[in-house]
């Protein structure tokens, strides 16, 4: 198994809890320039990568859904030109944010080869979304889920909990709606911010956090979800190939701002990050 991770750093806002490599910009020319640089990185660095067949191609962010389908077409072209092989069996995932893709754009992306979408739902409670600095509303999340449901694609829903002022009843209400959408995959993440962060001061107390974990983990399993790594649950064995690569010591190449790679070429393997683009 081998996979490629492509980082897309653009975001419409900076969520209060986020420490991923992001920039709060959505300018067409800047995105074009970034895609061109991805092309150069693929062209000049792919010669150091011995694998060509892709088990997984994963676009993470940031907010990859801010790129147009045409921009993805270009990235696919660069990858294929460098000899990487994407087949119908390749898991091709995009992280998307609610309210950033129309039904037509989702159709175009599926036509391009995307077969898995990871939606940053976080919560269906608008107060929590607001307090975390999210830009979208729960009704935008529902429309994006409606668009996805019309397509034959795998859906992951990111589920953020241990939110400021959250209690067990709020968590139960959120979980109910997550389960009603019946996705193949749910990734529950306990909100993790440094202790001096303003959100940390209003998170549930530790004993409540423990009850929340036990409640969520138990309910997901009672509803047919299997936990296959720390924050990943799936139904009917729809484990993500991308996650399995990371957890099972397979090689992956990370492209774009801040992306890390891992190559299991000898008994220990090695990890690295490219800090500047050399075109020699
Ligand atoms: C790469 S991130 C971003 C995906 C997408 N841009 C979004 O925000 O919906 C993937 C997931 O990590 C989780 N996450 C991000 N920051 C976190 C934090 N500080 N603590 C816990 N989970 C976090 C969120 O659930 C998020 O959807
Ligand atoms: S949209 Fe996602 S990646 Fe962007 S700032 Fe918010 S949490 Fe971070």
């Amino acid at each position: 198994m081998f996979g490629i991770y492509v980082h897309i750093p653009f975001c419409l806002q900076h969520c209060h809890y986020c420490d991923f490599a992001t920039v709060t910009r959505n300018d067409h020319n800047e995105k074009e320039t970034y895609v061109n640089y991805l092309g150069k990185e693929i062209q000049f660095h792919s010669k150091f990568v011995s694998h060509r067949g892709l088990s997984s191609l994963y676009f993470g962010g940031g907010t990859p859904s801010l790129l147009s389908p045409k921009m993805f077409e270009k990235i696919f072209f660069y990858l294929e030109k460098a000899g990487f092989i994407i087949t119908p069996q390749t898991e091709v995932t995009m992280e998307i944010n609610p309210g950033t893709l129309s039904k037509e754009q989702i159709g175009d992306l599926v036509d391009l080869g995307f077969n898995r979408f990871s939606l940053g739902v976080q919560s269906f409670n608008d107060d929590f979304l607001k307090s975390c600095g999210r830009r979208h509303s729960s009704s935008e999340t529902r429309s994006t889920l409606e668009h996805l449901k019309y397509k034959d694609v795998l859906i992951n829903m990111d589920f953020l909990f241990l939110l400021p002022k959250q209690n067990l009843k709020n968590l139960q209400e959120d979980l109910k709606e997550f389960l009603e959408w019946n996705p193949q995959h749910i990734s529950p993440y306990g909100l993790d911010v440094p202790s001096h962060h303003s959100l940390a001061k209003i998170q549930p107390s530790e004993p409540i956090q423990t009850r929340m974990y036990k409640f969520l983990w138990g309910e997901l399993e009672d509803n047919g979800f299997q936990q296959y790594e720390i924050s990943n649950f799936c139904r009917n064995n729809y484990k993500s190939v991308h996650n399995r690569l990371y957890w099972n010591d397979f090689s992956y190449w990370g492209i774009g701002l801040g992306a890390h790679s891992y190559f299991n070429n000898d008994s220990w393997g090695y990890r690295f990050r490219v800090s500047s683009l050399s075109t020699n």
Side-chain angles (χ1 to χ4, degrees):
M1 293 220 291
F2 171 70
I4 289 186
Y5 171 84
V6 186
H7 190 74
I8 309 293
F10 304 98
C11 284
L12 293 176
Q13 79 288 325
H14 187 254
C15 305
H16 301 330
Y17 54 80
C18 180
D19 61 3
F20 286 93
T22 66
V23 289
T24 314
R25 284 202 291 276
N26 188 26
D27 175 78
H28 180 83
N29 293 337
E30 279 186 338
K31 290 189 287 187
E32 281 277 350
T33 306
Y34 186 77
V35 168
N36 292 339
Y37 272 106
L38 288 177
K40 286 188 202 296
E41 190 171 357
I42 293 165
Q43 184 187 353
F44 293 112
H45 292 175
S46 57
K47 55 177 172 266
F48 303 110
V49 178
S50 54
H51 306 75
R52 281 299 175 266
L54 295 184
S55 318
S56 161
L57 173 59
Y58 190 100
F59 292 86
T63 308
S65 47
L66 293 181
L67 295 196
S68 66
K70 280 249 164 298
M71 292 174 182
F72 283 106
E73 203 175 332
K74 245 173 130 173
I75 302 171
F76 281 55
F77 168 78
Y78 293 136
L79 288 169
E80 285 174 339
K81 197 169 162 213
F84 292 104
I85 303 159
I86 304 163
T87 70
Q89 282 69 48
T90 307
E91 179 186 88
V92 188
T93 309
M94 185 192 302
E95 287 180 358
I96 66 176
N97 279 38
T100 53
L101 287 179
S102 66
K103 197 172 172 182
E104 291 66 36
Q105 284 170 318
I106 291 175
D108 291 345
L109 293 167
V110 172
D111 291 345
L112 268 180
F114 282 94
N115 49 30
R116 188 170 183 273
F117 291 87
S118 176
L119 181 64
V121 175
Q122 319 309 349
S123 170
F124 287 98
N125 181 316
D126 285 312
D127 292 334
F128 290 139
L129 292 175
K130 216 180 261 175
S131 65
C132 289
R134 300 288 291 180
R135 186 186 173 108
H136 60 88
S137 64
S138 58
S139 69
E140 285 176 297
T141 308
R142 292 182 188 107
S143 347
T144 303
L145 282 164
E146 286 293 343
H147 301 333
L148 290 172
K149 283 270 162 186
Y150 282 105
K151 295 286 171 192
D152 183 22
V153 292
L154 297 173
I155 301 174
N156 168 57
M157 294 166 73
D158 279 350
F159 185 164
L160 204 52
F161 69 110
L162 310 185
L163 295 169
K165 299 190 183 163
Q166 189 175 39
N167 58 35
L168 266 166
K169 186 166 169 286
N170 306 139
L171 182 63
Q172 270 165 350
E173 286 163 1
D174 244 347
L175 177 64
K176 187 166 173 286
E177 183 153 359
F178 272 83
L179 293 173
E180 280 166 3
W181 284 101
N182 207 19
Q184 293 86 1
H185 197 286
I186 295 183
S187 299
Y189 296 110
L191 178 70
D192 184 21
V193 281
S195 54
H196 60 267
H197 193 288
S198 58
L199 291 181
K201 299 181 176 52
I202 45 175
Q203 279 187 280
S205 65
E206 267 190 37
I208 301 287
Q209 293 196 9
T210 308
R211 285 178 63 190
M212 287 180 163
Y213 265 104
K214 283 190 177 151
F215 165 76
L216 201 48
W217 266 226
E219 286 292 310
L220 284 168
E221 285 184 345
D222 289 350
N223 281 278
F225 282 86
Q226 170 200 0
Q227 182 182 15
Y228 68 97
E229 56 107 320
I230 295 172
S231 290
N232 284 304
F233 289 75
C234 68
R235 283 193 297 112
N236 302 328
N237 215 23
Y238 280 113
K239 296 174 185 159
S240 148
V241 177
H242 167 78
N243 293 335
R244 275 162 47 211
L245 280 170
Y246 288 174
W247 283 83
N248 293 315
D249 201 35
F250 288 101
S251 301
Y252 52 87
W253 184 30
I255 309 169
L257 186 78
H260 286 62
S261 306
Y262 172 73
F263 286 96
N264 183 7
N265 288 355
D266 51 39
S267 53
W268 288 99
Y270 60 97
R271 294 179 193 281
F272 62 90
R273 175 172 70 92
V274 175
S275 53
S276 65
L277 182 64
S278 154
T279 52
N280 295 321

